């Protein structure tokens, strides 16, 4: 991690913690040792980022993205502005915390469908295109049975 990135991260973060990412994507603190993770507060969760590995974890598993407040902020879109979806937390930090970093792509459509303008880093464009489709309901097909004249409309 460069000194410039570290300075900017200090301004945006709540500090750092030591631990690891669990299999469920949640942060597991370590009593001794463990990797250093930068801590970022979100409205409904806490997001952790490990600079050496690039891994992201959450405390509660509720956060959709890092920087979620930018999604509904009118200033994000003012003067033809766009919501920038960054590919990495490092890029988000370099941008001064403007825009978002998606953590849970499965929720992307629901969370971003009302955003008027979005700019996406090229590296994550395939994820954006895959997940920005309305979810389809589960469909069960009822097989047709041979019907006589009297129950043709049922």
């Amino acid at each position: 991690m460069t000194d410039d990135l570290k300075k900017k991260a200090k301004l945006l973060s709540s500090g750092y913690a030591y631990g690891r990412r669990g299999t469920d994507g949640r942060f597991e603190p370590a009593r001794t040792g463990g990797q250093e993770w930068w801590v970022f507060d979100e409205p409904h969760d806490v997001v952790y980022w490990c600079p050496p590995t690039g891994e992201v974890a959450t405390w509660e598993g509720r956060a959709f993205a890092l920087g979620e407040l930018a999604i509904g902020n009118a200033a994000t879109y003012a003067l033809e502005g766009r919501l920038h979806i960054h590919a990495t937390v490092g890029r988000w930090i370099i941008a001064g915390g403007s825009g978002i970093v998606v953590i849970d792509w499965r929720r992307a459509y629901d969370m971003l469908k009302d955003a008027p303008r979005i700019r996406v880093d090229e590296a994550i464009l395939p994820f954006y295109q895959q997940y920005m489709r309305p979810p389809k309901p589960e469909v069960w097909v009822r097989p047709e049975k041979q019907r006589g004249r009297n129950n043709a409309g049922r």
Side-chain angles (χ1 to χ4, degrees):
M1 182 178 216
T2 66
D3 287 338
D4 187 43
L5 186 60
K6 201 170 203 170
K7 280 182 190 176
K8 288 183 178 186
K10 278 186 180 182
L11 295 173
L12 296 170
S13 77
S14 308
Y16 54 89
Y18 292 91
R20 67 181 191 89
R21 184 178 195 263
T23 55
D24 60 356
R26 295 188 181 169
F27 182 75
E28 295 177 355
R31 296 190 195 278
T32 58
Q35 295 261 11
E36 182 179 272
W37 294 70
W38 286 88
V39 181
F40 302 93
D41 292 321
E42 285 298 316
H44 306 291
D45 207 345
V46 179
V47 176
Y48 297 82
W49 174 58
C50 183
T53 64
E55 288 180 291
V56 176
T58 62
W59 184 252
E60 294 285 337
R62 292 185 204 157
F64 154 69
L66 181 59
E68 280 186 48
L69 291 176
I71 298 168
N73 187 346
T76 301
Y77 312 102
L79 304 172
E80 298 298 317
R82 292 162 180 77
L83 175 67
H84 189 156
I85 304 176
H86 298 276
T88 66
V89 176
R91 287 185 178 185
W92 178 81
I93 291 170
I94 289 168
S98 68
I100 64 171
V101 179
V102 175
I103 297 168
D104 184 359
W105 280 102
R106 295 168 299 171
R107 295 172 48 203
Y109 178 79
D110 289 331
M111 298 301 288
L112 301 173
K113 66 184 176 188
D114 296 324
R117 288 176 298 282
I118 293 176
R119 177 175 52 206
V120 180
D121 283 354
E122 187 176 9
I124 56 170
L125 184 60
F127 291 106
Y128 180 83
Q129 290 172 331
Q130 176 183 353
Y131 288 101
M132 280 304 289
R133 297 182 188 152
K136 295 179 182 172
E138 184 177 350
V139 176
W140 295 11
V141 177
R142 186 176 127 204
E144 293 293 325
K145 295 183 179 178
Q146 292 287 336
R147 294 188 174 155
R149 287 182 172 215
N150 292 338
N151 63 357
R154 293 187 203 176

